[in-house]
């Protein structure tokens, strides 16, 4: 068991305090409870006790970073109902995948501000649809401002884990993500080595660039199909401080879909001084190992705490989750069991 209570290496400034590790990171905010990436989703996560919030970043046509997972907007906003934006519908190939719809890169911030957010998975999370239409698309600047206010109000520094989406694609369309990112961080005085800010991407090139320009933590994201061999981890160690691994890389499932024994990834990463965050832990049955499901409804809540407990036992440094309240509760139980 590696649960400890210690001073965060990231914490700094007036709101620095003891923080719990492993960290609970709210994936796109408390996206199990609110439409993802909205200020409401982030605030809810902070209220639930999340140590950090995770946000994905893409660029508008005029170079403003906004919190969205997809370049295409119709899955998570009401863009399709906006007659004034109908002419912007088109087909676009991004990283080899052809998509049709409305793309953030084609809209100015002013145009994006006319949209409202909606739930990505209405069949799985019907309750969240009651928030559809109530909030707009948030800019990175707005999220950082909100984090500053909430941190001061609660007396603890809430962290941000920023994922840069499709950086090479953004480079090719003349909207590189680096400059607006560093500008926004500097505006909020979050560009110093003690800021609780982590920069993440699946693409090593932008992480190498940013590692050369900042002292912030850098995390290399790994897909389920990636092979974190010793050689691969050595390469990552050249520019990154940690890895953000698909949960199956730490806790593989057996052929029947049940939770299996932990891999050696945490040990191998820690030997190199690399941290390990795991994504994405979700409470609904359809996302859980078969042995942690409750009943047969794929949208019903299963035993997510069981998966978190197994990840904590495997020694991870952070759990990235749509349900931060469940992860915080599981962590509290682990701390209590360890006598803290
Ligand atoms: O935090 C990493 C995780 O968010 C990566 O997956 O697709 O949810 O951005 P995705
Ligand atoms: Ca992400």
């Amino acid at each position: 068991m590696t649960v400890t209570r210690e001073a965060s290496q990231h914490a700094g400034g007036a709101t620095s305090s003891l923080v719990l590790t492993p960290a609970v990171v709210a994936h796109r905010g408390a996206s199990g409870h609110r439409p993802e990436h909205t200020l409401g989703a982030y605030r809810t996560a902070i209220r639930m006790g999340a140590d950090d919030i995770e946000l994905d970043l893409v660029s508008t046509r005029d170079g403003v970073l906004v919190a969205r997972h997809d370049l295409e907007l119709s899955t998570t906003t009401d863009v399709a109902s906006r007659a004034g934006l109908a002419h912007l519908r088109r087909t676009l190939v991004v990283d080899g995948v052809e998509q049709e719809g409305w793309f953030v890169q084609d809209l100015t911030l002013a145009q994006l501000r006319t949209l409202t957010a909606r739930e990505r998975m209405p069949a799985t999370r019907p309750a969240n649809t009651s928030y559809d239409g109530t909030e707009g698309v948030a800019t990175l600047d707005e999220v950082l401002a909100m984090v500053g206010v909430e941190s001061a109000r609660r007396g603890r520094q809430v962290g941000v884990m920023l994922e840069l989406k499709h950086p090479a694609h953004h480079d090719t369309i003349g909207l590189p993500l680096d400059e607006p990112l560093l500008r926004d961080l500097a505006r909020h005085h979050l560009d110093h080595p003690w800021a609780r800010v982590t920069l993440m991407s699946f693409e090593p090139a932008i992480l190498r660039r940013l590692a050369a320009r900042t002292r912030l933590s850098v995390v290399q994201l790994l897909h389920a199909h990636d092979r974190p061999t010793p050689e691969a981890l050595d390469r990552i160690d050249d520019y990154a401080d940690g890895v953000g691994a698909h949960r199956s890389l730490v806790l593989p499932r057996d052929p029947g879909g049940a939770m299996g024994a932990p891999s050696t990834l945490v040990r191998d990463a820690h030997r190199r001084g690399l941290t390990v965050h795991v994504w994405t832990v979700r409470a609904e049955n359809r996302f859980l190992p078969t042995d942690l499901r409750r009943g047969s409804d794929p949208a019903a809540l299963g035993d997510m705490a069981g998966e978190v407990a197994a990840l904590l036992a495997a020694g991870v440094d952070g759990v990235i989750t749509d349900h931060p309240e469940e992860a915080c509760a599981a962590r509290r139980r682990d701390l209590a069991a360890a006598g803290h």
Side-chain angles (χ1 to χ4, degrees):
M1 178 58 57
T2 59
V3 177
T4 55
R5 189 172 172 87
E6 60 186 24
S8 164
Q9 59 174 334
H10 305 290
T15 56
S16 72
S17 57
L18 290 177
V19 296
L20 296 172
T21 58
V24 172
V25 183
H27 183 244
R28 314 181 195 171
S31 51
H33 303 274
R34 296 282 190 287
E36 67 186 41
H37 287 308
T38 55
L39 287 175
Y42 296 128
R43 275 202 202 94
T44 302
I46 295 168
R47 195 173 308 127
M48 288 174 162
D51 302 290
D52 307 87
I53 56 172
E54 186 259 4
L55 50 154
D56 300 312
L57 296 171
V58 295
S59 177
T60 64
R61 196 175 102 200
D62 41 358
V64 179
L65 296 191
V66 293
R68 286 289 98 186
H69 180 271
D70 307 331
L71 284 171
E72 203 285 311
L73 283 161
S74 63
T75 316
T76 58
T77 76
D78 60 355
V79 66
S81 67
R82 301 295 161 141
L85 298 175
H87 65 290
L88 293 179
R89 184 183 168 92
R90 67 166 170 137
T91 301
L92 181 68
V93 178
V94 180
D95 298 341
V97 178
E98 186 176 294
Q99 289 174 280
E100 187 157 349
W102 292 261
F103 298 89
V104 181
Q105 66 186 63
D106 294 334
L107 275 70
T108 62
L109 179 62
Q111 288 172 317
L112 202 66
R113 283 202 190 283
T114 66
L115 308 182
T116 62
R118 63 186 177 89
E119 171 55 39
R120 173 189 290 274
M121 298 189 276
T124 301
R125 295 172 174 168
N128 294 8
T129 62
S130 65
Y131 300 96
D132 285 2
T134 63
E135 290 197 71
V137 174
T139 63
L140 173 60
D141 181 53
E142 289 165 344
V143 177
L144 295 179
M146 181 276 292
V147 166
V149 169
E150 291 291 330
S151 297
R153 180 172 155 215
R154 292 166 195 280
R156 68 181 174 97
Q157 183 61 53
V158 176
V160 288
M161 298 191 83
L162 307 176
E163 182 184 346
L164 300 152
K165 285 292 187 194
H166 309 292
H169 169 79
H170 281 95
D171 286 347
T172 63
I173 59 172
L175 292 170
L177 301 175
D178 325 31
E179 299 308 329
L181 170 73
L182 296 176
R183 221 169 26 239
D184 281 346
L185 290 172
R187 188 179 310 118
H188 292 274
H189 310 292
L190 290 170
D191 53 350
H192 57 83
W194 304 279
R196 196 175 165 96
V197 176
T198 302
L199 308 177
M200 308 192 291
S201 184
F202 286 107
E203 298 184 22
I206 191 163
L207 295 180
R208 285 184 181 277
R209 275 184 349 225
L210 289 168
R213 298 185 65 186
T214 82
R215 305 272 307 279
L216 297 170
S217 292
V218 165
V219 162
Q220 174 66 56
L221 293 175
L222 300 172
H223 287 290
H225 58 74
D226 285 325
R227 288 285 153 260
T229 59
E231 298 73 30
L233 291 174
D234 285 342
R235 275 195 300 277
I236 291 169
D237 190 30
D238 277 347
Y239 58 89
D241 303 291
V243 295
H246 186 274
R247 57 195 176 152
S248 65
L249 294 176
V250 171
L251 277 185
R253 295 186 186 179
D254 71 17
M259 204 161 51
S263 71
T264 61
L265 175 58
V266 173
R267 187 199 66 196
D268 297 343
H270 283 178
R271 278 188 180 160
R272 291 164 173 80
L274 294 168
T275 56
V276 180
H277 284 71
V278 177
W279 54 275
T280 299
V281 182
R282 295 172 162 129
E284 292 93 354
N285 278 333
R286 58 181 279 215
F287 301 113
L288 288 169
T290 50
D291 51 330
L292 296 180
R293 295 179 188 168
R294 291 182 179 131
S296 55
D297 177 359
L301 300 185
D303 178 17
M304 186 190 116
E307 188 171 27
V308 173
L311 289 166
L312 298 186
V316 302
D317 300 283
V319 175
I320 302 175
T321 174
D322 288 5
H323 295 86
E325 80 291 3
E326 294 262 3
C328 287
R331 182 176 60 181
R332 269 196 304 277
R333 281 194 288 277
D334 269 329
L335 282 167
H340 292 281

